Amino acid sequence: MNRLVSWLEDYILPFANRLAQVRWLVALRDAFISIMPITFAGSIAVLIKSLVEASKTHLDWKIFAFIMQPVVAISNVVWRGTFSLFALFLAFSLGYHLAKSLETNRLAGAIVSLASFTMSVANFTKLRVNGKNFFVHNAFDISQFSTTGIFTAILFGTIGVAIYVACYKARIIIHLSTSLPHVEQSAFDSLAPGIIAIFSVGAINYIFQLATGTYFGNWLLHSIQVPLVKMGQGFGMILLVTLLVQVFWFFGINGLGVLSPILDSIWLTAQNVNVTAARDGRIPPFLWVRGSFDVFAWFGGAGGTLMLIVAILLFSKRSDYRTIAKVALAPGIFNINEPIVLGLPVVLNPVYFIPFVTAPLVNVVFSYLVSMMGLVNPVQVAVPSIMPPIIGPFLACNYDWRAIVLSLIDMLISLAIWTPFVFAADKIADANNSRSFFTTQY
């Protein structure tokens, strides 16, 4: 075990540290986090609509459904203003955080990123009338601003801000009198870099359209985003990401924070597609999405540490462990695991390395197979990460009671994995307890 930990320290830890310091990845992670109000507001709208439809279809509550129609209508309005414009908000947020990390005008960076994204999507939409297709030019298809535009927003938002920052750092600015108010001076400082960046992205798109006959955003969607999201449904890739998150956390590095750009770009995109499908009354196409990790593997936080807390409270005889577990129980119920991971600690503790890595992997394997057999709905609603276990899966799977059963089984499996190592930790602590003249055993 010591040799394994040493090998991980030599080869995995430096890589994780370098990855956590990449400014673009940090900005992308913060961009996804910043638009959580948009994500959850749209998901609540889906939950409300699904609840009303389920009450009418399965419980025959027609009066309740009729009374709730205004609420459903409001939810539809909320949906159009939040989730259906997800990529638009992401482009703005990404530009803001990139400019912030590179120490330039944040608002200007957000505007440049947003403009770069909108220039890169098709400015026509297709209508079907009486069985015939018509193309309407100089009009945006709103679906391009939803999940289908995430990768376009990331790519061109980054390119636009990168050009803007390069020009700004090179002092290609219009600097007027210092007596101007700060807001006006900042706007003039960003004027030339912003124009250069926007025209540069426009030129890239024009040349690409001229060469290929299609918009860059459309090509990116079908050539990169769709295959990558489909690849994320692969069993091996899901296990690899789960493993990396656990290994990073073992060394005290927030694995979810480091890998959130990958998790959000691939699995959050799939989740948004599922949410849209559920809202439209269609079958969600993706089996495993971003929320699947949270509700079926990381209850109590990364590592399924809520079950470690339960195992300590049930079986451990050490008073110090039990005290830490009691303190960590309430945060653990809301999936906050820092008190137990850093307080016990689990971090860099060879005794807990195996269960910390193994428990989430086993839960992912079991939950993936159960979902693949159709025994539980896939996650199709975004729920906050602090939602307690059992309640979270029930809501995330759109009121599927089978998700409660699956989460309980996952928790029992995790408890069975953690328990032997809790006993082992007690024995190792007793064996390492040095005897002295002042100990009662002596």
Side-chain angles (χ1 to χ4, degrees):
M1 180 63 70
N2 289 332
R3 286 197 297 269
L4 175 61
V5 172
S6 178
W7 181 85
L8 292 171
E9 286 178 343
D10 292 338
Y11 296 99
I12 303 299
L13 183 59
F15 169 74
N17 282 325
R18 286 195 296 270
L19 199 63
Q21 294 171 1
V22 177
R23 288 187 177 185
W24 177 78
L25 292 177
V26 173
L28 183 58
R29 178 200 66 195
D30 293 343
F32 276 109
I33 293 173
S34 297
I35 59 175
M36 282 202 313
I38 301 300
T39 304
F40 293 136
S43 295
I44 291 172
V46 173
L47 281 174
I48 292 173
K49 184 177 181 180
S50 298
L51 177 62
V52 174
E53 290 180 352
S55 65
K56 181 180 179 180
T57 304
H58 300 291
L59 301 176
D60 200 29
W61 291 0
K62 295 180 180 179
I63 297 177
F64 172 76
F66 177 78
I67 295 173
M68 292 294 291
Q69 284 307 307
V71 180
V72 173
I74 293 172
S75 298
N76 291 334
V77 174
V78 170
W79 169 271
R80 289 197 301 272
T82 56
F83 220 99
S84 62
L85 303 176
F86 185 88
L88 210 61
F89 292 111
L90 177 62
F92 188 88
S93 180
L94 177 60
Y96 178 91
H97 287 286
L98 277 174
K100 177 183 177 182
S101 66
L102 297 170
E103 300 177 353
T104 54
N105 189 309
R106 303 173 188 181
L107 183 58
I111 293 172
V112 168
S113 176
L114 182 60
S116 300
F117 167 59
T118 55
M119 285 189 296
S120 307
V121 297
N123 66 340
F124 66 87
T125 185
K126 183 172 67 175
L127 297 178
R128 188 173 181 85
V129 181
N130 296 328
K132 295 181 179 180
N133 292 326
F134 296 92
F135 287 91
V136 181
H137 292 275
N138 298 320
F140 287 114
D141 182 357
I142 195 172
S143 65
Q144 297 179 103
F145 296 142
S146 186
T147 56
T148 57
I150 287 180
F151 275 61
T152 306
I154 293 173
L155 176 62
F156 282 100
T158 301
I159 293 174
V161 175
I163 297 173
Y164 163 77
V165 170
C167 295
Y168 192 92
K169 295 289 186 181
R171 305 302 295 170
I172 305 176
I173 61 176
I174 301 174
H175 193 75
L176 301 180
S177 172
T178 56
S179 61
L180 285 174
H182 175 72
V183 174
E184 294 183 15
Q185 186 60 61
S186 298
F188 277 107
D189 287 349
S190 301
L191 182 60
I195 292 173
I196 294 172
I198 291 172
F199 269 87
S200 298
V201 173
I204 293 172
N205 279 280
Y206 171 75
I207 294 171
F208 187 86
Q209 292 173 36
L210 203 63
T212 64
T214 185
Y215 283 82
F216 207 126
N218 288 354
W219 174 84
L220 189 69
L221 170 64
H222 295 98
S223 301
I224 297 179
Q225 180 173 335
V226 171
L228 198 58
V229 171
K230 289 183 178 178
M231 189 186 304
Q233 299 303 298
F235 190 57
M237 191 168 180
I238 294 172
L239 288 181
L240 176 61
V241 170
T242 306
L243 175 64
L244 290 176
V245 168
Q246 297 308 132
V247 171
F248 288 173
W249 253 119
F250 180 74
F251 288 101
I253 299 172
N254 190 327
L256 293 176
V258 172
L259 296 176
S260 63
I262 298 173
L263 284 163
D264 293 340
S265 299
I266 298 176
W267 285 282
L268 184 59
T269 302
Q271 177 172 293
N272 291 344
V273 173
N274 276 9
V275 173
T276 303
R279 187 256 179 187
D280 296 337
R282 295 181 284 109
I283 298 175
F286 293 108
L287 190 69
W288 195 269
V289 299
R290 176 62 183 87
S292 303
F293 292 99
D294 294 328
V295 299
F296 293 135
W298 292 331
F299 33 80
T305 49
L306 179 60
M307 291 300 99
L308 169 61
I309 296 172
V310 173
I312 291 175
L313 293 176
L314 290 177
F315 305 113
S316 179
K317 297 180 180 179
R318 289 196 47 141
S319 60
D320 53 345
Y321 285 4
R322 293 178 62 84
T323 300
I324 294 172
K326 290 175 183 178
V327 172
L329 179 60
I333 292 174
F334 295 97
N335 300 323
I336 300 171
N337 69 344
E338 280 80 2
I340 191 70
V341 169
L342 302 177
L344 195 59
V346 176
V347 170
L348 292 175
N349 188 337
V351 178
Y352 290 126
F353 176 75
I354 291 177
F356 188 66
V357 173
T358 304
L361 289 175
V362 174
N363 288 149
V364 166
V365 171
F366 182 71
S367 301
Y368 183 91
L369 293 176
V370 169
S371 300
M372 187 171 61
M373 290 186 290
L375 299 179
V376 66
N377 287 343
V379 170
Q380 49 197 269
V381 174
V383 297
S385 59
I386 60 171
M387 189 66 67
I390 301 176
I391 299 175
F394 177 66
L395 296 177
C397 294
N398 210 352
Y399 306 112
D400 187 357
W401 63 269
R402 298 172 299 179
I404 297 177
V405 177
L406 176 57
S407 63
L408 287 172
I409 295 174
D410 282 334
M411 293 170 73
L412 290 175
I413 292 173
S414 185
L415 179 63
I417 293 174
W418 276 108
T419 298
F421 293 90
V422 170
F423 284 121
D426 280 5
K427 292 181 179 179
I428 292 172
D430 290 339
N432 292 337
N433 188 19
S434 58
R435 293 184 177 185
S436 70
F437 180 78
F438 300 99
T439 61
T440 55
Q441 292 180 352
Y442 188 84

